[in-house]
Amino acid sequence: MGKKIGSLFILIGFLFVSISIYQYFNHKIGMQKALAEAEALISSVETEPATPEPEDDKESLAAQLAAQLAARQQFNPNDHDAVGVLQIPKLDAKLPIIEGTEEEMLAKGVGHYKTTAFPMDNEQILLSGHRDTVFRNFGELAIGDRLIVDMPYGSFEYEIQETEIVSSDDTTVIGPKGEEVLTLSTCYPFRYVGDAPDRFIVYAYPVADE
């Protein structure tokens, strides 16, 4: 009887390990596919900007900004679409951004909350990801670190200025901010087993042209 129970536990353990391995590779494949789609979307509309003469700098920048704004206004993704790429240089991470935050979207990359803005909208851009997949090692981020969001209409750089830990049911994180702020959210504690009770929030603001 004891041997049968022991064999049963071994079998159960093997099944759990097998499921974990399957989920890991399934996630990796899904994320690689989504990243390829996002990069293809970005590269399909990227153009090499002409180098302006010094006296034409203002006019050239104004024209470039107008073109970006027009492209942003035409950008209207659907659920499940790969919409861009989030780069986290400190973590050497390049992650696809998926429209929507349901589990199916989060399994492929970083989810964009549909009710929040995109770069150039001068409001909150909220991205969410799992702590054990796309946002692994998230705890290594610190004030001053940079984040880059690549979109079909441009590349936008942000600097982390604030972090906080809130309860998982705290909805005040989402809402009008009156300015452009890139907000990243993931479960916390990072190594918690099961449904984590809190959320780790990062606030990053646009970096002025240097």
Side-chain angles (χ1 to χ4, degrees):
M1 183 67 177
K3 290 183 179 181
K4 289 183 179 181
I5 293 176
S7 298
L8 179 61
F9 278 119
I10 291 173
L11 178 60
I12 292 173
F14 175 78
L15 288 174
F16 273 116
V17 171
S18 298
I19 291 171
S20 297
I21 293 174
Y22 170 78
Q23 290 176 335
Y24 172 78
F25 282 104
N26 192 49
H27 161 73
K28 293 291 288 185
I29 293 171
M31 190 172 74
Q32 289 172 356
K33 181 180 178 182
L35 181 59
E37 291 175 358
E39 290 180 328
L41 174 67
I42 292 168
S43 63
S44 68
V45 294
E46 277 184 343
T47 56
E48 189 67 27
T51 303
E53 295 296 326
E55 63 271 17
D56 295 333
D57 280 357
K58 290 184 179 179
E59 291 82 356
S60 177
L61 290 174
Q64 184 178 0
L65 179 59
Q68 280 189 306
L69 286 170
R72 165 63 193 103
Q73 291 171 356
Q74 295 174 4
F75 183 67
N76 186 28
N78 297 314
D79 288 358
H80 301 274
D81 284 353
V83 299
V85 174
L86 171 65
Q87 296 188 56
I88 310 178
K90 185 173 185 177
L91 303 182
D92 193 26
K94 199 172 185 180
L95 310 168
I97 302 172
I98 312 299
E99 182 67 357
T101 52
E102 296 176 7
E103 186 57 38
E104 184 178 349
M105 292 82 146
L106 296 180
K108 297 188 294 183
V110 179
H112 170 254
Y113 274 81
K114 296 180 291 184
T115 57
T116 66
F118 282 112
M120 297 191 79
D121 289 349
N122 297 317
E123 253 304 340
Q124 183 187 47
I125 307 152
L126 182 54
L127 306 178
S128 179
H130 287 313
R131 68 187 188 277
D132 55 352
T133 55
V134 291
F135 284 163
R136 187 182 290 113
N137 301 322
F138 210 57
E140 297 178 13
L141 294 179
I143 304 300
D145 288 339
R146 299 291 178 91
L147 306 169
I148 301 169
V149 177
D150 296 319
M151 301 294 292
Y153 53 89
S155 183
F156 305 87
E157 188 169 4
Y158 302 84
E159 181 178 296
I160 297 176
Q161 295 186 14
E162 181 185 355
T163 64
E164 67 173 341
I165 298 168
V166 302
S167 171
S168 61
D169 58 1
D170 186 346
T171 59
T172 61
V173 171
I174 309 174
K177 304 299 180 185
E179 61 181 326
E180 186 154 317
V181 51
L182 174 63
T183 307
L184 306 184
S185 172
T186 193
C187 294
Y188 186 86
F190 298 122
R191 290 177 174 80
Y192 192 87
V193 178
D195 294 333
D198 300 318
R199 298 290 180 267
F200 185 80
I201 312 295
V202 167
Y203 299 97
Y205 293 81
V207 175
D209 292 336
E210 298 173 344

